[in-house]
Amino acid sequence: MSSKTARKQGRRRLIAVFAASLVVPAATLVAACARDGGPAAPTSATSSATAATSGAQSATTGPGTSSPGGSTTSAPADFPYEPLWPFRDRAEAAAWQQDSASGHQPWHLDPAATAQSFTQHYLGFAGLDKIVKVATEGEQSRVSVGFGNPNGVAVVAAVIHLVRLGHGDTAPWEVVGTEDTALTLTTPSYGATVHSPIAVGGTITGVDESLRVRVLRSDRDQPVGQSAPIPAGGAGSPWTATVSVPDACPATLTIVVATGGHVADVERFAVTGAHC
């Protein structure tokens, strides 16, 4: 074999080895993607939002959000939330939408008015009379409700999540939960099926708090269940309670926990939805 031929064969062997070294990382990358299952699935749109904080109290979004997406048996497939208030289902919202041309209850088209009515009338927190912030994007709205402290500063008690129940600009707003961190309500999980007695719980950041839990149905004037006061406090400290709802089912339930007593009767609250 000539020296020229030997050099050519040597170059071919080097090229083959180099090409093989490129194939291994590519194969490794494909295998890694297969193990990881590809890109992560998107999280719920309600699991994060802008924090709203004022003074010593705050209500923000985060891991303790009480209104994540998720299909339920009580809502249509294209409405992946618990319809808490003011409408019990799509049919009631559609009936109002057909009648809205007559000017009947126009506040259903205003997320701030709907959130305030929910807070003061349905939950019974009459002292929370301030709309601190409204953030609306498309068919989603977050409304920060609260009160004025003794210094005249607006304090956020909760961030209420609303979604249009229906299609178009005349679809009414529906409360589907709250978004929370300082006071959270994470048990039962949002949209869960529950049975009496209901185990409830979450976390609290505060000092010398007294939590009160109530379970509501939108077609009842009084709570269908409530807890005794729950002493709590600390930084992200867990709290738990059990609430009996013997005559509540079947229904969509609104579970609300509240605390206060420092400068106002109700200073923070959190809401989640479940059904039984």
Side-chain angles (χ1 to χ4, degrees):
M1 180 185 299
S2 68
S3 60
K4 184 175 182 181
T5 300
R7 286 195 298 273
K8 286 182 179 181
Q9 290 181 349
R11 284 196 296 270
R12 291 193 189 102
R13 284 195 294 270
L14 287 174
I15 292 172
V17 170
F18 179 70
S21 70
L22 294 178
V23 172
V24 172
T28 302
L29 179 61
V30 170
C33 288
R35 288 194 302 269
D36 295 341
T43 58
S44 165
T46 63
S47 64
S48 61
T50 302
T53 305
S54 179
Q57 307 294 335
S58 68
T60 64
T61 63
T65 183
S66 301
S67 61
S71 60
T72 71
T73 58
S74 58
D78 60 346
F79 191 77
Y81 303 93
E82 291 293 331
L84 302 183
W85 193 87
F87 302 102
R88 287 178 292 180
D89 52 36
R90 172 63 65 85
E92 285 190 355
W96 176 86
Q97 191 171 7
Q98 291 176 357
D99 193 44
S100 62
S102 63
H104 178 60
Q105 296 181 319
W107 58 270
H108 287 306
L109 295 177
D110 184 344
T114 302
Q116 188 160 50
S117 185
F118 169 77
T119 302
Q120 294 188 302
H121 301 300
Y122 184 46
L123 299 184
F125 301 153
L128 301 181
D129 57 358
K130 294 189 180 300
I131 299 296
V132 182
K133 181 180 179 180
V134 179
T136 301
E137 183 176 353
E139 296 187 346
Q140 309 263 343
S141 186
R142 276 91 174 167
V143 179
S144 301
V145 297
F147 61 96
N149 69 12
N151 296 323
V153 177
V155 178
V156 174
V159 178
I160 298 176
H161 183 196
L162 304 96
V163 181
R164 284 194 185 273
L165 184 50
H167 301 288
D169 294 338
T170 61
W173 290 98
E174 179 80 2
V175 174
V176 297
T178 56
E179 300 185 337
D180 346 285
T181 54
L183 172 60
T184 72
L185 177 51
T186 53
T187 302
S189 60
Y190 184 83
T193 299
V194 297
H195 304 282
S196 183
I198 304 173
V200 295
T203 60
I204 176 72
T205 295
V207 178
D208 192 23
E209 306 294 337
S210 179
L211 306 179
R212 292 158 287 172
V213 178
R214 292 179 298 143
V215 181
L216 311 174
R217 275 182 53 163
S218 61
D219 60 344
R220 302 278 183 91
D221 294 332
Q222 299 296 325
V224 295
Q226 56 189 345
S227 73
I230 308 163
S237 298
W239 64 268
T240 60
T242 301
V243 183
S244 178
V245 290
D247 302 316
C249 301
T252 295
L253 303 176
T254 298
I255 305 173
V256 54
V257 58
T259 186
H262 300 93
V263 296
D265 182 50
V266 176
E267 296 164 353
R268 280 176 288 179
F269 71 88
V271 167
T272 194
H275 50 87
C276 62

